[in-house]
Amino acid sequence: MSQLPACPQCGSEYTYQDGAMFVCPECAHEWNEQSAAPAEEQRVVRDAVGNTLQDGDSVTVIKDLKVKGSSLVVKVGTKVKNIRLVDGDHDIDCKIDGIGAMGLKSEFVKKA
């Protein structure tokens, strides 16, 4: 018996073949043999002006941002070095001098 590929959507190993298609009984995902190898999609994060951001870039804050849970404010023009892109509501993880570790949204920064 040949080994069937795991589901590219949920990772289930309980897939079966139906004609030329593979089917996952757990999530109902169907795919053909040519697309059995999952294609890695690169997520593109853009700043407020439309520049593409990457890990390690430096950015500048374009708007005063209140820090939730404290009375601190990240002022306009604050430069943030060595950002890290993450998935989720806030696209950027970083450390800001005087404030500490923080999550920022890419719409409030521009590439420096």
Side-chain angles (χ1 to χ4, degrees):
M1 186 168 135
S2 66
Q3 181 69 13
L4 296 174
C7 176
Q9 191 162 10
C10 70
S12 173
E13 59 187 40
Y14 301 110
T15 58
Y16 62 91
Q17 192 166 6
D18 184 19
M21 301 291 285
F22 292 106
V23 181
C24 175
E26 293 185 12
C27 70
H29 179 66
E30 297 181 2
W31 69 99
N32 60 16
E33 293 179 32
Q34 286 78 24
S35 67
E40 290 289 325
E41 290 186 24
Q42 229 13 330
R43 191 174 78 110
V44 177
V45 178
R46 299 194 181 273
D47 66 359
V49 206
N51 298 323
T52 304
L53 297 175
Q54 297 177 349
D55 287 339
D57 283 346
S58 294
V59 295
T60 304
V61 178
I62 62 167
K63 176 183 174 183
D64 280 349
L65 301 173
K66 295 180 183 176
V67 178
K68 199 173 198 175
S70 74
S71 62
L72 298 173
V73 176
V74 179
K75 296 286 188 180
V76 171
T78 302
K79 189 169 183 178
V80 181
K81 299 177 184 176
N82 199 17
I83 65 170
R84 188 173 47 128
L85 301 178
V86 294
D87 292 330
D89 187 31
H90 292 75
D91 305 302
I92 300 169
D93 273 348
C94 61
K95 273 189 180 174
I96 299 177
D97 293 336
I99 295 176
M102 204 171 178
L104 296 174
K105 291 186 178 184
S106 59
E107 62 197 60
F108 299 121
V109 298
K110 70 176 182 178
K111 197 169 186 176

